[in-house]
């Protein structure tokens, strides 16, 4: 994924072609056209070739657009040129599509009719939105784009960011005026890594533009690649807000069942059984407890809360949901310690194997994985911790998690297993055979309840789950 966008490639006026500006869009003034070319004849530049940008580049290329894939990471671009899928989500054939050219040269941005920005938008150590990459991307794109270009932001942001942060960066670097010389839109990404059934073409795309003309232009562009269709938001701010609300809603619902799991653990009541029983009511929403990691759900609520606080309203429920979900790694560690104690294990002499280290099943991405917090919490008890993940890069795990990593799965001598990320490879574990390899009277903490409790108990495990 793109990590920075600072390349301005010897900025100079000769990087732009002279052209009369379009009629301004404010005040009801109309203009003949927006982008330099109509869709299908257009050139599209994707800025940032991570898990959002790369599928976009491939999707547009497969729809016969000419696509420029721009990223400042030399290694990423070199691997893509070699036909290597850097996200693990696409085919080598798609990466090698003749309609895509991968580059680290910002000068090529000037060839694009549409520029789509898909850079990271993390939060800092104080949970405040970090829009550095958006600003840098705006300056880089602005320094190279020609008049008539339409710039679309897809990065997750709080309402108002496109107009307040991106547009000024574009205008300052380009010396052009938004709505007169170039145009802006916003379309929130809905990428779902590890889910082949919900790719670019399969999920309704929300689109917006700075006015009706731009909105229709942007909608037409995305309709040509999204089979599920597009939803035209009435304003850029509505489109920006819908993205953070989608994930804030999930965060709150998961926080509710996570808190229930903590309540029922103290009451010695099976949370999963409670949720299955409650789920027989027609209007009960099915959410399950678990670790909340990744790049969206644990991040987007902070964007909403930050923007709300600027207007003098602190959204307490949003903060509470975040607080509950951030406490789950400590709760998992506590369950593990309790299980070891029940097994009569001496903590400092115990070995714990953590299965699954990435932030969600079926992917190898360990960034923003809350399993790291579980490992940190267990380390405070001086237990010996090892990890195994069939998808994650072992060297990256060693560096990020600071723990021993098994390259080949082995249970020999292990006192407790923590099934943290339920990759499909773990779902069919032969618990009887696994128990035979483990130390006497082992523990199994099945965080998401992936394995059969009765089978685990029959195999001799002390079993815990959220």
């Amino acid at each position: 994924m793109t990590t920075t966008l600072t390349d301005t490639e010897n900025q100079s006026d000769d990087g732009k072609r002279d052209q009369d500006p379009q009629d301004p869009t404010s005040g009801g003034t109309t203009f003949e056209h927006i982008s330099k070319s109509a869709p299908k004849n257009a050139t599209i530049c994707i800025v940032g070739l991570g898990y959002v940008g790369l599928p976009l580049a491939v999707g547009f290329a497969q729809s016969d657009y000419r696509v420029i894939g721009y990223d400042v990471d030399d290694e990423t671009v070199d691997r893509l040129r070699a036909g290597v899928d850097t996200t693990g989500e696409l085919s080598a054939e798609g990466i090698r599509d003749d309609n895509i050219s991968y580059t680290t040269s910002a000068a090529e941005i000037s060839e694009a009719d549409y520029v789509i920005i898909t850079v990271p938008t993390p939060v800092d150590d104080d949970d405040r939105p970090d829009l550095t990459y958006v600003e840098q991307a705006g300056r880089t794109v602005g320094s190279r784009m020609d008049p008539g270009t339409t710039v679309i932001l897809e990065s997750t942001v709080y309402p108002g960011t496109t107009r307040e942060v991106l547009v000024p960066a574009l205008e300052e670097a380009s010396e052009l005026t938004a709505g007169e010389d170039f145009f802006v839109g916003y379309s929130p990404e809905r990428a779902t890594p590890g889910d082949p059934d919900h790719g670019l073409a399969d999920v309704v795309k929300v689109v917006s533009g700075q006015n009706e003309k731009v909105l229709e232009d942007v909608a037409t562009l995305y309709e040509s690649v999204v089979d599920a269709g597009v939803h035209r938001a009435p304003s850029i701010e509505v489109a920006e807000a819908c993205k953070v609300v989608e994930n804030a809603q999930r965060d709150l619902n998961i926080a509710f069942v996570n808190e229930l799991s903590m309540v029922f653990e103290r009451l010695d009541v099976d949370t999963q059984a409670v949720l299955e029983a409650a789920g027989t009511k027609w209007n009960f929403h099915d959410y399950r407890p678990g670790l909340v990691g990744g790049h969206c759900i644990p991040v987007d609520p902070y964007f909403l809360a930050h923007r709300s606080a600027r207007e003098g309203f602190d959204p307490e429920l949003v903060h509470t949901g975040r607080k509950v979900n951030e406490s789950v790694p400590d709760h998992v560690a506590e369950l593990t310690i309790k299980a070891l104690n029940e097994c009569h294990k001496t903590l400092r002499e115990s070995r714990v194997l953590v299965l699954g280290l990435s932030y969600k099943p079926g992917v190898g991405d360990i960034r923003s994985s809350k399993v790291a917090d579980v490992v940190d919490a267990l380390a405070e008890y001086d237990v010996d911790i090892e990890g195994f993940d069939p998808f994650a890069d072992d060297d990256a795990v060693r560096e990020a998690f600071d723990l021993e990593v098994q390259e080949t799965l082995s249970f020999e001598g292990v006192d407790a297993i923590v099934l943290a990320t339920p990759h499909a490879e773990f779902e069919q574990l032969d618990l009887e055979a696994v128990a035979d390899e483990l130390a006497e009277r082992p523990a199994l903490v099945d965080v998401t309840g992936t394995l059969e409790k009765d089978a685990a108990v029959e195999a001799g495990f002390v079993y815990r789950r959220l």
Side-chain angles (χ1 to χ4, degrees), residues 41-275:
N41 298 317
T43 295
I44 301 169
C45 179
I46 308 296
V47 176
L49 299 175
Y51 74 96
V52 175
L54 187 59
L56 267 179
V58 171
F60 278 113
Q62 290 177 340
S63 295
D64 296 325
Y65 289 94
R66 180 192 170 215
V67 178
I68 299 167
Y70 171 72
D71 200 293
V72 297
D73 189 316
D74 291 328
E75 181 180 355
T76 294
V77 170
D78 287 344
R79 293 179 68 192
L80 291 172
R81 286 172 174 169
V84 177
D85 176 11
T86 54
T87 66
E89 299 292 317
L90 304 163
S91 68
E93 181 181 0
I95 299 296
R96 296 191 183 102
D97 195 300
D98 290 340
N99 288 329
I100 309 177
S101 60
Y102 302 105
T103 184
T104 57
S105 172
E108 296 188 37
I109 293 173
S110 65
E111 301 174 28
D113 305 296
Y114 298 89
V115 179
I116 302 177
I117 297 174
T118 63
V119 296
T121 48
V123 292
D124 63 19
D125 292 339
D126 296 317
D127 298 325
R128 294 175 302 191
D130 180 358
L131 300 175
T132 302
Y133 301 135
V134 173
E135 292 184 87
Q136 291 176 342
R139 289 193 292 269
T140 299
V141 172
S143 70
R144 290 299 179 179
M145 70 179 182
D146 280 353
T149 302
T150 298
V151 181
I152 304 165
L153 180 62
E154 284 214 10
S155 304
T156 299
V157 294
Y158 55 74
T161 301
T162 302
R163 298 185 198 271
E164 298 170 7
V165 178
L166 179 61
V167 167
L170 291 167
E171 290 183 329
E172 181 179 359
S174 67
E175 298 182 358
L176 301 172
T177 301
E180 297 180 15
D181 310 312
F182 70 92
F183 313 97
V184 294
Y186 180 82
S187 179
E189 58 90 359
R190 282 177 166 171
T192 310
D195 185 353
D197 295 327
H198 294 91
L200 173 65
D202 309 309
V203 179
V204 173
K205 200 83 166 72
V206 175
V207 299
S208 64
Q210 65 190 116
N211 56 43
E212 287 296 325
K213 186 73 172 179
V214 177
L215 172 62
E216 287 306 311
D217 188 51
V218 171
T220 300
L221 177 68
Y222 280 106
E223 282 174 335
S224 66
V225 294
V226 179
D227 295 338
V230 304
H231 173 84
R232 291 161 171 79
S235 70
I236 288 176
E237 288 74 19
V238 167
E240 291 168 325
C242 88
K243 171 61 178 178
V244 292
V245 166
E246 290 169 15
N247 286 315
Q249 180 193 57
R250 293 188 63 196
D251 195 44
L252 287 168
N253 279 300
I254 297 169
F256 174 61
V257 292
N258 273 333
E259 189 164 68
L260 288 180
S261 74
M262 297 176 195
V263 170
F264 293 135
E265 193 270 330
R266 287 160 175 78
L267 299 178
D268 195 25
V269 173
D270 189 331
T271 305
Q272 302 281 1
V274 171
L275 293 175

Side-chain angles (χ1 to χ4, degrees), residues 1 50-52 86-89 193-194 293-296 356-371 389-393 396-397 400-401 421 423:
M1 174 178 281
Y51 74 96
V52 175
T86 54
T87 66
E89 299 292 317
H295 312 287
C296 294
L357 304 168
S358 61
Y359 81 92
K360 67 178 292 187
V363 303
D365 195 344
I366 60 172
R367 296 167 301 170
S368 301
S369 172
K370 290 302 176 182
V371 183
D389 193 296
F391 292 92
D393 179 80
V397 170
F401 286 62
T421 305
H423 296 303

Side-chain angles (χ1 to χ4, degrees), residues 347-353 378 382-386 404:
L347 294 183
R348 292 189 177 185
E349 298 175 3
S350 297
R351 293 181 60 201
V352 175
L353 174 61
L378 286 172
D382 292 329
V383 297
D384 184 11
I385 311 168
E386 299 177 10
E404 293 296 321

